[in-house]
Amino acid sequence: MEEFHKVRRLPPYVFEQVNRLKASARASGADIIDLGMGNPDLPTPQSIVDKLCEVVRDPRTHRYSSSRGIPGLRRAQASYYARRFGVKLDPDTQVIATLGSKEGFANMAQAITAPGDVVLCPNPTYPIHAFGFIMSGGVIRSLQAEPDDRFIPALERGMRHSIPKPLALILNYPSNPTALVASLDFYKDVVAFARKHEIIILSDLAYAEIYFDGPPPPSVLEVPGAMDVTVEFTSMSKTFSMPGWRMGFAVGNERLIAALTRVKSYLDYGAFTPIQVAATAALNGDGSDIAEVREIYHKRRDVMVETFGRAGWNIPAPAATMFAWAPIPEPYRHLGSLEFSKLLIEKADVAVAPGIGFGEYGDDHVRIALVENEHRIRQAARNIKRFLGSDGDKAGNVVPLTARR
Ligand SMILES: Cc1ncc(COP(=O)(O)O)c(C=O)c1O
């Protein structure tokens, strides 16, 4: 029997292969240090958990909730944007709560895409940016991930050579997986381009609060006129260590928010009310929880860059996000990112995410997530030092695992 139309468009998740190897190594007793998946290990702050527990006792909160988010939650998100970015939002028409930013992004793609619509998408990037549109019948044209002076010319080429004219452009800064950060000047140029060519900007700002060097990352909505063409997604997952709670937001252009609201009104009843109330309390907090999370990732970043560097693997320090985008050490580059990642599990007991999982232009890199504590990161560096030292000189002879048997 032929595979279903949609399923055929979704290649098996690359990360699954690494996960399987990780699981079998663990099953045979290996202590794998897991820097693979971007799954925060930090507990949600106690005050947010307490708020959830308090609210869940009220049986009125056990009913279906509000699909677009309870009014207090949408107001709290609008206040956050005003405080943090100086962006004024109408909580009734320009804000919607989502079941994590991934769900919001995928359903926005579903809401706005007609079959064959072209979308300009960075490569490498977080998979839902491309696959949200592919699942919705869209077509992807890849763009460079770097927000530098080649970006607008690349957009211009994309515009000139795409038929039909592109529907939308995806931005994701600070970026997963590259950790690149964009400036407000960059956003000004992109907004001017999008307005001129009437294309939609979808900005994923999931790492708005995880930054270490330089000024806090801006929102594209800070650019005057951006609201005419832009929706931006944020997430509670990393900012408040709430990944399992599934809470995020889309904000911006009213027409786009209305389209997402319509689709979601058919699909879900919103997050569980106690989660929405606890998220409201988190957003209305004094920011100390966010600062603490940021500080922990900052320290882990410094330890990782220093200890991996001493182990012989020089990794550029990420200015933001909870990831390092690490070039594969030269002697192993010919293996590609998937085989190198498998080798790290086998020989160093360290799991990372292969860059190819984020797009074809990611294959020279692996992504290292700062989701184990400093002690474990140091241990990972010691393992890697041993691996590079023992194997480095014969790396040219390494046979990819897939070729063995
Ligand atoms: C860039 C980016 N966007 C969105 C998400 C999904 O976050 P959420 O938990 O809000 O769905 C992630 C998660 O890793 C991410 O890295």
Side-chain angles (χ1 to χ4, degrees):
M1 237 198 297
E2 248 200 65
E3 192 51 277
F4 297 114
H5 173 81
K6 258 190 195 171
V7 175
R8 263 192 286 142
R9 276 151 187 76
L10 297 175
Y13 224 40
V14 172
F15 306 118
E16 206 32 58
Q17 297 191 43
V18 176
N19 288 343
R20 266 202 306 273
L21 195 63
K22 192 167 68 189
S24 79
R26 277 187 170 146
S28 50
D31 175 21
I32 302 292
I33 301 168
D34 192 356
L35 309 176
M37 194 179 170
N39 191 356
D41 61 314
L42 304 171
T44 304
Q46 191 58 45
S47 61
I48 304 174
V49 175
D50 289 345
K51 179 54 88 177
L52 175 92
C53 295
E54 175 197 322
V55 178
V56 79
R57 291 202 183 89
D58 178 351
R60 283 174 307 173
T61 66
H62 302 170
R63 308 188 70 186
Y64 290 128
S65 195
S66 158
S67 168
R68 56 206 285 254
I70 57 175
L73 177 61
R74 284 182 279 114
R75 279 198 301 275
Q77 174 70 351
S79 306
Y80 164 73
Y81 258 76
R83 257 189 341 264
R84 169 71 168 78
F85 304 112
V87 171
K88 195 169 161 341
L89 295 169
D90 179 342
D92 287 328
T93 57
Q94 295 176 323
V95 178
I96 180 173
T98 60
L99 306 173
S101 57
K102 189 178 189 184
E103 179 272 331
F105 192 93
N107 278 322
M108 179 62 87
Q110 192 188 165
I112 66 176
T113 309
D117 275 347
V118 177
V119 173
L120 303 173
C121 183
N123 186 331
T125 198
Y126 182 61
I128 198 66
H129 298 153
F131 286 101
F133 284 96
I134 290 169
M135 278 192 278
S136 308
V139 176
I140 296 299
R141 181 183 166 104
S142 292
L143 272 183
Q144 65 172 59
E146 298 86 351
D148 58 23
D149 54 11
R150 296 168 302 163
F151 194 87
I152 296 289
L155 276 184
E156 269 157 7
R157 283 195 303 280
M159 192 53 76
R160 210 167 36 244
H161 297 295
S162 301
I163 299 174
K165 184 191 89 155
L167 167 77
L169 157 68
I170 316 302
L171 299 176
N172 170 219
Y173 303 106
S175 157
N176 176 10
T178 65
L180 292 165
V181 180
S183 67
L184 195 55
D185 281 342
F186 169 80
Y187 284 148
K188 282 181 186 156
D189 292 344
V190 175
V191 168
F193 181 92
R195 286 170 59 92
K196 178 173 157 205
H197 294 281
E198 296 185 329
I199 63 173
I200 295 164
I201 296 175
L202 298 180
S203 165
D204 182 345
L205 190 55
Y207 297 97
E209 300 303 336
I210 314 295
Y211 56 85
F212 319 121
D213 310 319
S219 156
V220 64
L221 288 169
E222 290 176 46
V223 178
M227 196 70 80
D228 295 342
V229 290
T230 304
V231 162
E232 192 159 70
F233 298 84
T234 55
S235 171
M236 308 284 293
S237 298
K238 317 297 156 83
T239 308
F240 294 98
S241 306
M242 295 169 70
W245 297 53
R246 311 312 300 131
M247 182 53 65
F249 298 91
V251 309
N253 179 267
E254 289 183 14
R255 180 166 165 258
L256 291 166
I257 294 295
L260 176 58
T261 307
R262 175 82 69 90
V263 165
K264 280 176 62 61
S265 74
Y266 277 82
L267 291 176
D268 68 65
Y269 290 107
F272 188 36
T273 299
I275 290 179
Q276 297 200 39
V277 175
T280 306
L283 283 169
N284 288 335
D286 63 5
S288 55
D289 290 335
I290 303 178
E292 232 169 86
V293 168
R294 184 183 301 131
E295 187 53 27
I296 291 170
Y297 287 126
H298 193 163
K299 284 198 185 131
R300 289 180 180 180
R301 180 209 61 173
D302 290 348
V303 167
M304 196 270 302
V305 170
E306 195 214 314
T307 57
F308 278 48
R310 272 198 272 121
W313 191 358
N314 289 316
I315 295 171
T321 76
M322 52 196 285
F323 306 113
W325 186 233
I328 299 174
E330 216 288 313
Y332 299 92
R333 207 161 289 164
H334 67 285
L335 293 177
S337 59
L338 182 56
E339 293 307 323
F340 178 67
S341 302
K342 289 177 175 175
L343 206 58
L344 277 188
I345 294 177
E346 277 209 331
K347 300 277 183 78
D349 290 347
V350 173
V352 298
I356 189 75
F358 303 94
E360 73 175 285
Y361 301 115
D363 206 19
D364 286 346
H365 289 72
V366 294
R367 191 196 68 180
I368 301 175
L370 302 169
V371 292
E372 295 245 27
N373 64 34
E374 291 174 39
H375 169 73
R376 298 276 289 169
I377 292 172
R378 286 181 204 281
Q379 182 61 49
R382 281 193 291 274
N383 294 1
I384 283 169
K385 183 172 185 179
R386 208 176 323 114
F387 162 64
L388 292 178
S390 65
D391 226 36
D393 53 342
K394 28 186 198 330
N397 299 326
V398 170
V399 180
L401 294 179
T402 44
R404 294 186 208 163
R405 200 123 289 162

